[in-house]
Amino acid sequence: MADCYSLINTIQCLEKAYIKDAVTSKEYTAACSKLLTQYKAAFKQIDKEFGTAEHFLKKYRFECRAALDRIKEDRPITIKDDKGNTHACIAEIVSTFITISDRLKLGMKSMDELLPDLRELNETMGRLTMLPPSYEGSKRVKAWIDKMSNMSASDELDEGEIRQMTYDMETSLNEFNKILLEM
């Protein structure tokens, strides 16, 4: 029971860390998958006594809603959309690339106008497990996120940076389309 308790608590803490962006999607996915596997093995030792994780948590008055959701779904939240909604994920990636390019063409160049879309794009690409590790677009998007994360909301990209970012987004989208055609 102590093992189950500690694993549930660890899953809960990992969920909170992911929500707060304290761990990357890859770190979260790997850790969550491992913890869920360990939890299943540990819970098999006590499942006859408690039946479900919910009953276990209720008996010991342990509130871990996020962990319970992960246990019920039996997968990290980062791969949720990749299972049945691969097409939706692909559409979201293409749409976000286009949105970022359009924002740049419309003269939007401040951090607060561009960074949210870059983060959304990065997260969606992280959920799409069919992307090969060699895909350079992921690295380019991450590099722009890192650069803009160090800026204040009103800071703006200069003309050279805008031109480079536009090029990076268009190149990354073209590479993404080639990957789709090869599948």
Side-chain angles (χ1 to χ4, degrees), residues 19-20 22 25 28 68 91 96 101-102 116 124 130 138 155 176:
I19 290 167
K20 293 177 183 176
S25 293
Y28 165 81
L68 191 57
T96 309
S101 294
D102 287 348
T124 307
M130 64 183 241
S138 297
D155 286 348
F176 182 75

Side-chain angles (χ1 to χ4, degrees), residues 18 25 78 81-82 85-86 88-94 96 117-129 131 138 176:
Y18 181 70
S25 293
T78 51
D81 288 341
D82 199 35
N85 296 320
T86 301
C89 225
I90 291 169
E92 188 176 334
I93 290 169
V94 171
T96 309
D117 287 329
L118 284 168
R119 285 190 172 142
E120 179 183 331
L121 178 59
N122 187 53
E123 184 179 319
T124 307
M125 286 191 296
R127 287 193 318 249
L128 194 64
T129 57
L131 275 179
S138 297
F176 182 75

Side-chain angles (χ1 to χ4, degrees), residues 8-171:
I8 292 169
N9 192 39
T10 304
I11 293 169
Q12 179 74 15
C13 292
L14 180 62
E15 290 296 305
K16 287 182 178 181
Y18 181 70
I19 290 167
K20 293 177 183 176
D21 206 21
V23 293
T24 66
S25 293
K26 285 185 180 182
E27 292 169 331
Y28 165 81
T29 303
C32 190
S33 296
K34 181 180 179 182
L35 287 167
L36 288 170
T37 302
Q38 291 172 323
Y39 165 78
K40 283 189 273 187
F43 196 74
K44 280 185 182 181
Q45 305 302 313
I46 62 168
D47 67 346
K48 289 182 177 131
E49 184 179 344
F50 295 99
T52 66
E54 225 166 353
H55 289 107
F56 177 76
L57 294 173
K58 196 175 211 178
K59 180 173 181 171
Y60 293 104
R61 298 179 188 163
F62 191 37
E63 182 59 40
C64 287
R65 174 62 37 207
L68 191 57
D69 289 345
R70 274 316 103 236
I71 290 167
K72 283 180 179 177
E73 290 183 20
D74 193 30
R75 63 181 175 252
I77 198 167
T78 51
I79 60 171
K80 183 177 181 181
D81 288 341
D82 199 35
K83 295 265 182 181
N85 296 320
T86 301
H87 296 293
C89 225
I90 291 169
E92 188 176 334
I93 290 169
V94 171
S95 171
T96 309
F97 268 127
I98 293 168
T99 298
I100 293 168
S101 294
D102 287 348
R103 285 183 185 275
L104 292 166
K105 289 174 186 168
L106 291 170
M108 296 179 181
K109 54 188 174 182
S110 64
M111 183 277 276
D112 64 338
E113 294 171 323
L114 299 169
L115 188 57
D117 287 329
L118 284 168
R119 285 190 172 142
E120 179 183 331
L121 178 59
N122 187 53
E123 184 179 319
T124 307
M125 286 191 296
R127 287 193 318 249
L128 194 64
T129 57
M130 64 183 241
L131 275 179
S134 61
Y135 174 56
E136 290 294 319
S138 297
K139 295 172 188 156
R140 287 185 200 103
V141 169
K142 180 71 173 119
W144 280 106
I145 289 171
D146 292 343
K147 178 181 182 80
M148 296 186 91
S149 292
N150 293 323
M151 298 168 65
S152 64
S154 62
D155 286 348
E156 295 183 345
L157 299 176
D158 63 32
E159 291 304 313
E161 291 169 324
I162 292 169
R163 192 169 178 174
Q164 184 63 50
M165 187 179 202
T166 302
Y167 175 78
D168 287 347
M169 294 301 111
E170 289 173 1
T171 302

